[in-house]
Amino acid sequence: MKNEEKLYKLEREMIEWERGCPKRIQHFLKVHEFAVAIAKGEKVDEDTMFILEALGYIHDIGIKIAEEKHGKYNGKTQELYGEPAAKEMLVRLGFDKVDIDRISMIVGKHHTYNADIEGLDFRILLEADACVNMYEKDKSDDAKRAMLKNVFRTETGKQIYCTMFDL
């Protein structure tokens, strides 16, 4: 199966996974688009783009499970439940083992900002997710500046973020 087909199936599967929750569906679709925009600016290779697109769709898969088990979620529970859920879905959808391992590992760390962030795919996902989260949560200008300082490293991510928030 071609990567384009895998991504389409993943997108549809995640929309179904989040059935009845338009906020989360819109969130992951926006993160996907920001990840692609940043990746294009950074001129990532085809393999990195594939990983990033998958991450954009699946990064918050753990929220639903955490809510079902605990009635709420936070970054840690998202990571805890997200990694195995991502792995299971990606296996079922026919992703390659090396891609499954990389994607699910990042899903399991994407709220641990002090984690060892190795790879442009991981960095860009964090930046794309921050762009969307800071907008959706309507954070203060001080919080936006702190996020810029602490998370953003790519030139394209910084440019998009600063333009979006007029920083």
Side-chain angles (χ1 to χ4, degrees), residues 86-151:
K87 191 171 281 197
E88 186 277 325
M89 184 179 286
L90 295 169
V91 166
R92 189 166 33 79
L93 293 176
F95 279 64
D96 297 333
K97 182 180 179 349
V98 68
D99 295 333
I100 292 167
D101 290 346
R102 180 73 182 162
I103 294 163
S104 58
M105 181 278 295
I106 293 172
V107 168
K109 290 183 176 182
H110 82 280
H111 278 285
T112 306
Y113 292 115
N114 62 355
D116 289 331
I117 300 171
E118 292 183 20
L120 196 52
D121 51 2
F122 196 166
R123 171 60 57 198
I124 290 173
L125 175 71
L126 291 181
E127 293 180 6
D129 200 25
C131 284
V132 177
N133 283 333
M134 296 306 279
Y135 169 74
E136 290 177 347
K137 295 177 181 176
D138 196 24
K139 295 290 190 172
S140 70
D141 286 346
D142 286 343
K144 289 171 186 161
R145 283 186 193 91
M147 182 67 75
L148 176 63
K149 179 182 177 199
N150 295 324
V151 173

Side-chain angles (χ1 to χ4, degrees), residues 15-148:
I15 289 170
E16 184 60 37
W17 176 267
E18 295 294 0
R19 175 184 283 275
C21 190
K23 182 178 179 182
R24 287 202 301 259
I25 292 168
Q26 290 201 20
H27 174 83
F28 76 69
L29 289 173
K30 288 186 283 188
V31 171
H32 172 270
E33 289 306 309
F34 274 99
V36 168
I38 295 167
K40 284 179 180 177
E42 297 299 308
K43 297 177 177 37
V44 304
D45 61 67
E46 191 176 315
D47 292 336
T48 302
M49 182 65 86
F50 174 71
I51 296 294
L52 268 170
E53 288 201 61
L55 281 166
Y57 293 135
I58 203 168
H59 72 282
D60 281 344
I61 192 172
I63 292 175
K64 181 179 174 181
I65 301 166
E67 283 185 333
E68 289 170 354
K69 291 182 182 265
H70 306 288
K72 61 183 180 179
Y73 70 92
N74 59 33
K76 281 286 142 213
T77 57
Q78 251 187 81
E79 292 176 340
L80 175 69
Y81 298 115
E83 186 170 354
K87 191 171 281 197
E88 186 277 325
M89 184 179 286
L90 295 169
V91 166
R92 189 166 33 79
L93 293 176
F95 279 64
D96 297 333
K97 182 180 179 349
V98 68
D99 295 333
I100 292 167
D101 290 346
R102 180 73 182 162
I103 294 163
S104 58
M105 181 278 295
I106 293 172
V107 168
K109 290 183 176 182
H110 82 280
H111 278 285
T112 306
Y113 292 115
N114 62 355
D116 289 331
I117 300 171
E118 292 183 20
L120 196 52
D121 51 2
F122 196 166
R123 171 60 57 198
I124 290 173
L125 175 71
L126 291 181
E127 293 180 6
D129 200 25
C131 284
V132 177
N133 283 333
M134 296 306 279
Y135 169 74
E136 290 177 347
K137 295 177 181 176
D138 196 24
K139 295 290 190 172
S140 70
D141 286 346
D142 286 343
K144 289 171 186 161
R145 283 186 193 91
M147 182 67 75
L148 176 63

